[in-house]
Amino acid sequence: MDLYQGILTRRSIRKYTSKTVPDELVRELINAAMHAPSARNSQPWHFVVLDDRKILNQIPKVHPNAKMLEQASLGILLCGDEDLALTKEYLPLDLAAATQNLLLAVHAKGLGAVWIGIYPREARIEAMRDLLNLPSTILPVSLVSIGFPGEEAPKVDRFIEERIHKNGW
Ligand SMILES: Cc1cc2nc3c(=O)[nH]c(=O)nc-3n(C[C@H](O)[C@H](O)[C@H](O)COP(=O)(O)O)c2cc1C
């Protein structure tokens, strides 16, 4: 898939078939995330691969917008590591870049995914820490629900001419 077309056609996919995502493909997806830009190339990320049905089913109980995980065979929690970051403030930015890379790689590989927001909601951060035993220096930023697509989402046109400013506001 051409990268530019991939960017324009990526959509959130919240319904999946029962087919599981092979481990090698999971590694390829995470490899794409690990190639994201980060502040001073600090690469301050960790990826928690979730394929335990009990854990996947537990998350919607503590997160109001994560019901799709009950169908997904895979979730990946993207976490920032305070001890690896340039400064703490950059962690969400670095992890957001990694999340977008992951979503685009999913799309390129013919899978479907949706970004489930964790940061900056304290209750969700704490719920992820509790459920997955994350150390206190690890900040869960986003959770990506992944599977083989069980729905199609049409390409949309989001180009807004008025949002472009030239040489100042
Ligand atoms: C920071 C962030 C948090 C999000 N959180 C959720 C979420 O918790 N649950 C969900 O279903 N979608 C979530 N989304 C996905 C958005 O709803 C989706 O990207 C947006 O509606 C645009 O649709 P598209 O992804 O199909 O282009 C989130 C997206 C971002 C960037």
Side-chain angles (χ1 to χ4, degrees), residues 23-162:
D23 287 349
E24 189 46 43
L25 199 42
V26 176
R27 288 179 71 82
E28 287 183 306
L29 299 176
I30 293 175
N31 189 28
M34 287 179 173
H35 280 76
S38 57
R40 208 180 289 161
N41 196 20
S42 50
Q43 303 172 44
W45 31 62
H46 294 266
F47 302 86
V48 184
V49 176
L50 305 170
D51 62 2
D52 180 326
R53 175 57 36 218
K54 271 190 278 176
I55 296 176
L56 290 169
N57 287 351
Q58 191 60 31
I59 296 170
K61 295 187 177 128
V62 293
H63 190 301
N65 308 315
K67 200 142 178 65
M68 69 296 281
L69 285 171
E70 290 170 3
Q71 259 198 22
S73 62
L74 175 70
I76 299 180
L77 182 71
L78 291 90
C79 300
D81 185 334
E82 281 179 16
D83 295 331
L84 296 176
L86 178 59
T87 71
K88 237 163 74 166
E89 290 73 24
Y90 280 101
L91 272 186
L93 308 178
D94 295 337
L95 269 293
T99 306
Q100 179 66 355
N101 261 26
L102 180 61
L103 292 176
L104 289 173
V106 161
H107 182 46
K109 295 288 183 184
L111 299 165
V114 58
W115 178 327
I116 298 169
I118 305 295
Y119 177 89
R121 305 237 186 222
E122 262 321 309
R124 297 180 189 179
I125 293 170
E126 283 314 313
M128 289 300 116
R129 286 204 170 119
D130 286 351
L131 184 65
L132 303 169
N133 300 314
L134 308 179
S136 59
T137 51
I138 297 297
L139 179 71
V141 173
S142 61
L143 173 56
V144 178
S145 166
I146 303 172
F148 285 89
E151 65 173 341
E152 272 179 40
K155 181 177 185 299
V156 284
D157 182 2
R158 290 178 177 158
F159 186 79
I160 306 174
E161 189 74 52
E162 297 73 30

